[in-house]
């Protein structure tokens, strides 16, 4: 028949013609990443017999490359099309298996966080994403920090409906405040203000958390060159910190306000 005009559509048409075990192996490889040991691929794809035949078919079709004892997809676009065409439930299960394998292999923190996020393992995802963001902050990688915190905030929001976490609103508050601060450092002031206002609603009428969010909003206002609003937010932050007994915050905010007002 006439081939589709788009390259991605053409790749998807070719994928539709694969037999089930080969398709399952390719989906697992797309999730786990390139330069993967064939044994790990068999465990992730749950193919105990016939893996060699499935991989051989994928090699003949030009979809998989075999080099130095490892397997890789032949092109990044192929991997993206495979991931996009994998059913959500299957993709979630594959990421759950990939997370277990990543723990065994002591895979990098970022890889484990990614698998936990897509596996919808909320508790581990939030824990790992927060660590990823902290490491990114230390090395000055603001883009990676923002991405990790966005995923953490999205996971926390979803948990309000799912109910798998004991206190999802606390997670929304923590990730919202940290994301707002990261966006401020990145210069995305409008986005930061929206995230922080959501966090302020969650923080409640008093407490140290409210003081921290107000302090973050003060930095956003200053970044947008709204000096009066910045000082007003900082005054509110100082008051909230004083009422909550957070003396370290009172001192820090007071020093900041003094510098801004001078």
């Amino acid at each position: 028949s006439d081939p589709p005009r788009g390259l991605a559509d053409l790749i998807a048409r070719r994928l539709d013609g694969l037999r089930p075990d080969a398709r399952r192996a390719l989906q697992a490889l797309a999730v786990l990443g390139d330069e993967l040991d064939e044994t790990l691929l068999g465990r992730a794809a749950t193919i105990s017999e016939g893996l060699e035949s499935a991989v051989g078919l994928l090699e003949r079709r030009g979809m998989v490359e075999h080099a130095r004892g490892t397997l890789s997809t032949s092109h990044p676009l192929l991997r993206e099309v495979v991931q996009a065409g994998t059913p959500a439930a299957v993709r979630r299960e594959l990421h759950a298996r990939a997370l277990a394998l990543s723990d065994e292999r002591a895979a990098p923190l970022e890889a484990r966080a990614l698998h936990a996020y897509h596996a919808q393992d909320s508790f581990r995802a939030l824990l790992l994403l927060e660590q990823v963001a902290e490491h990114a902050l230390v090395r000055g990688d603001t883009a990676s920090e923002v991405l990790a915190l966005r995923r953490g905030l999205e996971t926390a929001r979803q948990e309000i409906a799912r109910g798998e976490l004991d206190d999802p609103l606390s997670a929304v508050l923590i990730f919202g405040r940290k994301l707002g601060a990261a966006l401020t450092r990145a210069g995305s002031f409008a986005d930061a203000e929206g995230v922080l206002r959501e966090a302020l609603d969650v923080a409640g009428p008093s407490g140290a958390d409210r003081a921290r969010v107000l302090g973050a909003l003060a930095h956003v206002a200053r970044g947008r060159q709204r000096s009066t609003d910045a000082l007003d937010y900082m005054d509110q932050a100082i008051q909230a910190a004083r009422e909550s007994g957070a003396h370290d915050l009172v001192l820090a905010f007071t020093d900041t306000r003094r510098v801004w007002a001078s």
Side-chain angles (χ1 to χ4, degrees), residues 142-200:
T142 306
S144 295
E145 181 189 7
V146 167
L147 177 60
L149 292 171
R150 279 195 189 281
R151 286 174 168 169
L153 181 57
E154 178 187 344
T155 299
R157 287 168 175 164
Q158 291 172 348
E159 278 305 309
I160 296 175
R162 287 182 191 156
E164 295 179 8
L165 291 180
D166 292 335
D167 190 3
L169 289 178
S170 178
V172 169
L173 173 59
I174 292 171
F175 278 91
R177 176 173 57 80
K178 291 186 175 183
L179 176 58
L183 289 168
T184 301
R185 288 194 297 275
S188 301
F189 300 119
D191 198 0
E193 185 171 4
V195 170
L196 288 170
R197 286 191 178 279
E198 178 191 11
L200 190 65

Side-chain angles (χ1 to χ4, degrees), residues 206-208 211-212 237-251:
S206 62
R212 293 187 181 95
I238 293 170
Q239 183 63 27
R242 185 176 290 116
E243 291 175 355
S244 65
H247 301 296
D248 55 337
L249 289 178
V250 173
L251 291 174

Side-chain angles (χ1 to χ4, degrees), residues 73-185:
T73 50
S74 58
H75 195 277
L77 179 59
L78 173 67
R79 183 171 61 247
E80 291 178 11
V81 174
V82 171
Q83 290 177 332
T86 303
V90 174
R91 187 166 59 249
R92 186 167 57 250
E93 185 177 346
L94 285 170
H95 277 289
R97 293 193 198 120
L99 178 60
L101 292 172
S102 297
D103 290 338
E104 292 180 16
R105 299 160 58 199
L109 173 65
E110 290 80 3
R112 287 182 284 130
L114 179 68
H115 289 314
Y117 170 73
H118 286 295
Q120 296 183 7
D121 185 344
S122 298
F123 180 78
R124 290 204 62 191
L126 292 174
L127 181 65
L128 292 170
L129 288 168
E130 187 172 23
Q131 293 178 46
V132 169
E134 290 172 354
H135 289 191
L137 174 61
V138 170
R139 65 176 182 266
D141 185 357
T142 306
S144 295
E145 181 189 7
V146 167
L147 177 60
L149 292 171
R150 279 195 189 281
R151 286 174 168 169
L153 181 57
E154 178 187 344
T155 299
R157 287 168 175 164
Q158 291 172 348
E159 278 305 309
I160 296 175
R162 287 182 191 156
E164 295 179 8
L165 291 180
D166 292 335
D167 190 3
L169 289 178
S170 178
V172 169
L173 173 59
I174 292 171
F175 278 91
R177 176 173 57 80
K178 291 186 175 183
L179 176 58
L183 289 168
T184 301
R185 288 194 297 275

